[in-house]
Amino acid sequence: MEAEKRPAPYEGLFADGHLVLWTLCSVLLPVFITFWCSLQRSRRQLHRRDIFRKSKHGWRDTDLFSQPTYCCVCAQHILLGAFCDCCGLRVDEGCLKKADKRFPCKEIMLKSDGRALDAMPHHWIRGNVPLCSYCVVCKQQCGNQPKLCDSRCIWCQKTVHDECMKSSLKNEKCDFGEFRNLIIPPSYLTSINQMRKDKKTDYALLASKLGKQWTPLIILANSRSGTNMGEGLLGEFRILLNPVQVFDVTKTPPIKALQLCTLLPYHSARVLVCGGDGTVGWVLDAVDEMKVKGQEKYIPQVAVLPLGTGNDLSNTLGWGTGYAGEVPVAQVLRNVMEADTIKLDRWKVQVTNKGYYNLRKPKEFTMNNYFSIGPDALMALNFHAHREKAPSLFSSRILNKAVYLFYGTKDCLVQECKDLNKKVELELDGERVELPNLEGIIVLNIGYWGGGCRLWEGMGDETYPLARHDDGLLEVVGVYGSFHCAQIQVKLANPFRIGQAHTVRLILKCSMMPMQVDGEPWAQGPCTVTITHKTHALMLYFSGDQTDEDISSTSDQEDVKETEL
């Protein structure tokens, strides 16, 4: 009886084999499926990249469209796919190849077919019109149906209902819409190309057909600045303007991009720099190189869209303390058209090391904002060192300011820059100045410092007249430490005002001290720093978004002038 109940040996082995087989399947099958999916995904990515590389469109991938979107080929609703950041086409991944062949992108130049400068027709794209857009014919809202419907001209941005589209509208010439005075028409570049072949350079006669108000705009954006918004802004500007006007300075250096100005009439070009104060300085250095090359007649006027951390120069010029997408790009272009031209002093900072008997060339910098030695330069040096090690961690403006706060708090305890008055000698216009017990000296060219603080004017009963950025004068102030800097920024204290001068000379007698010029810091040994006037830059000042403090300061300055009169 016991032998009958006992299972045969091969039955146990068979059951164990089943268990092992199912275990292997449960483990290997997900691995195989994952491997197969990743292989297919990589193949699709290679296929897309091949299409992107060969295409005339500016295709970009996206995992989620920001508004209800329909494929321009199959007309199906899509959540992810690709879009062209020049003409605005949006397609499903499977329809990408068909869309690339079927729909032409924006032409930066027209074919030599004899068309006149002002006879360019509309270029209509069907579907996915902007929200809250209105039909140019019936004035009713477009794109409010849940399907691929209505059309948009990729040049003038006009929209029209499908039922309102007429043959006359299809053949109507495009006037380039609201931003016609900023756009370089493709036909203009075609005519320029022909003139250069004929060795003619009378561009003013050609531009006269576009009107006296034509001030073409060149976009120079740094895709790595501040909050890394540059890449998205590049696409938005390409949609509203001619793509040939839009440059990423990380791929095309400003000196090369600004050569487009030489194809435009004298003193007509404007440049919008999208980046931090460092990017603005880079562009202004390229403008100075144009002067050296004898291209002074083509010098552009420069506006700023602040994407950096401090943005003191853009704040001084009325463009705000930082851009985070709260203002539509179209409004930014309107602000550029309304801006006024002013001059900005630029200064040469020469650093001559001691003890080398002039065997080494002095280091030279160009200053637009300010020069400093002491605690704020130390904070910038520490921040810069950590950002170089891990740049991806410093993509947030708020996080960057928090890091500055951390290093400022640390210096309050350590006081690495104390007894500065014993280590340096300061001369203003050749006259030596006796210094109190300071930890830092700041030489200002503009009104703002430290991310939005008016350092020279101060607060309370000790307010001074507004510092100007075009009077050939530098304002020199001192601070007693990092804690004093923090008090100044929250308007609980004033700096120690040393004076104003046309030339500043600072002698560092001993030890290593942190220095900075426009946010670019370094550690410096014994040396002589000489700051002299270099040149002027033509900037664009926007007065539309003045703060209450700006308005009150301006009114105070006007009151002083009236009293003097």
Side-chain angles (χ1 to χ4, degrees), residues 347-377:
W347 301 82
K348 181 175 73 172
V349 180
Q350 188 176 65
V351 182
T352 306
N353 294 317
K354 287 187 176 181
Y356 293 101
Y357 302 100
N358 296 325
L359 296 178
R360 286 190 179 182
K361 290 183 177 180
K363 292 186 290 186
E364 288 190 2
F365 305 89
T366 301
M367 183 185 82
N368 302 310
N369 300 359
Y370 38 74
F371 163 86
S372 70
I373 175 173
D376 66 323

Side-chain angles (χ1 to χ4, degrees), residues 270-520:
R270 293 189 169 194
V271 169
L272 176 62
V273 182
C274 307
D277 289 344
T279 306
V280 178
W282 188 13
V283 173
L284 294 181
D285 288 341
V287 171
D288 287 344
E289 288 186 45
M290 293 179 66
K291 296 178 183 178
V292 174
K293 292 180 179 180
Q295 299 174 344
E296 294 185 3
K297 295 179 180 179
Y298 301 104
I299 295 300
Q301 304 160 38
V302 181
V304 183
L305 185 64
L307 301 182
T309 302
N311 304 312
D312 291 306
L313 180 57
S314 67
N315 201 10
T316 300
L317 298 175
W319 299 100
T321 57
Y323 180 78
E326 67 279 2
V327 178
V329 170
Q331 184 59 47
V332 173
L333 295 180
R334 295 185 193 104
N335 295 345
V336 172
M337 289 192 291
E338 296 173 4
D340 300 317
T341 304
I342 62 170
K343 288 184 178 180
L344 172 72
D345 289 326
R346 304 193 77 213
W347 301 82
K348 181 175 73 172
V349 180
Q350 188 176 65
V351 182
T352 306
N353 294 317
K354 287 187 176 181
Y356 293 101
Y357 302 100
N358 296 325
L359 296 178
R360 286 190 179 182
K361 290 183 177 180
K363 292 186 290 186
E364 288 190 2
F365 305 89
T366 301
M367 183 185 82
N368 302 310
N369 300 359
Y370 38 74
F371 163 86
S372 70
I373 175 173
D376 66 323
L378 179 62
M379 286 185 282
L381 183 62
N382 290 328
F383 174 83
H384 185 75
H386 283 79
R387 185 172 61 176
E388 289 294 315
K389 293 179 182 177
S392 59
L393 299 179
F394 295 87
S395 59
S396 168
R397 190 178 290 121
I398 296 177
L399 177 61
N400 293 349
K401 291 186 177 182
V403 174
Y404 266 101
L405 176 63
F406 168 76
Y407 285 118
T409 306
K410 177 184 174 183
D411 188 61
C412 288
L413 304 175
V414 180
Q415 291 184 320
E416 296 183 33
C417 304
K418 63 182 179 179
D419 298 327
L420 180 68
N421 56 306
K422 299 177 182 179
K423 301 174 184 177
V424 303
E425 292 180 3
L426 179 65
E427 295 179 3
L428 302 183
D429 289 336
E431 297 183 6
R432 185 174 175 180
V433 179
E434 293 296 329
L435 298 173
N437 186 18
L438 299 173
E439 287 192 23
I441 296 174
I442 304 168
V443 182
L444 296 160
N445 178 46
I446 60 176
Y448 285 96
W449 165 86
C453 174
R454 286 190 179 275
L455 196 59
W456 178 253
E457 290 84 37
M459 45 77 67
D461 297 331
E462 302 179 20
T463 56
Y464 275 49
L466 280 173
R468 295 183 61 87
H469 45 263
D470 59 354
D471 58 356
L473 281 174
L474 293 167
E475 288 74 36
V476 185
V477 301
V479 293
Y480 298 110
S482 295
F483 185 70
H484 187 209
C485 290
Q487 287 180 309
I488 292 171
Q489 290 195 327
V490 297
K491 300 183 180 181
L492 292 178
N494 285 328
F496 177 77
R497 298 181 183 86
I498 299 173
Q500 292 179 302
H502 297 89
T503 302
V504 176
R505 189 166 179 259
L506 186 145
I507 302 171
L508 178 60
K509 297 181 288 187
C510 60
S511 74
M512 296 285 291
M513 290 294 292
M515 296 183 180
Q516 70 156 338
V517 174
D518 292 352
E520 297 298 327

Side-chain angles (χ1 to χ4, degrees), residues 30 105 107 117 127 140 145 169 171 194 240 243 253 259 270 279 288 335 375 410 524:
C105 192
E107 293 179 301
L117 185 65
Q140 298 298 314
Q145 299 182 38
L169 195 59
N171 299 324
Q194 186 62 42
L240 295 176
Q259 291 307 302
R270 293 189 169 194
T279 306
D288 287 344
N335 295 345
K410 177 184 174 183
Q524 179 64 47

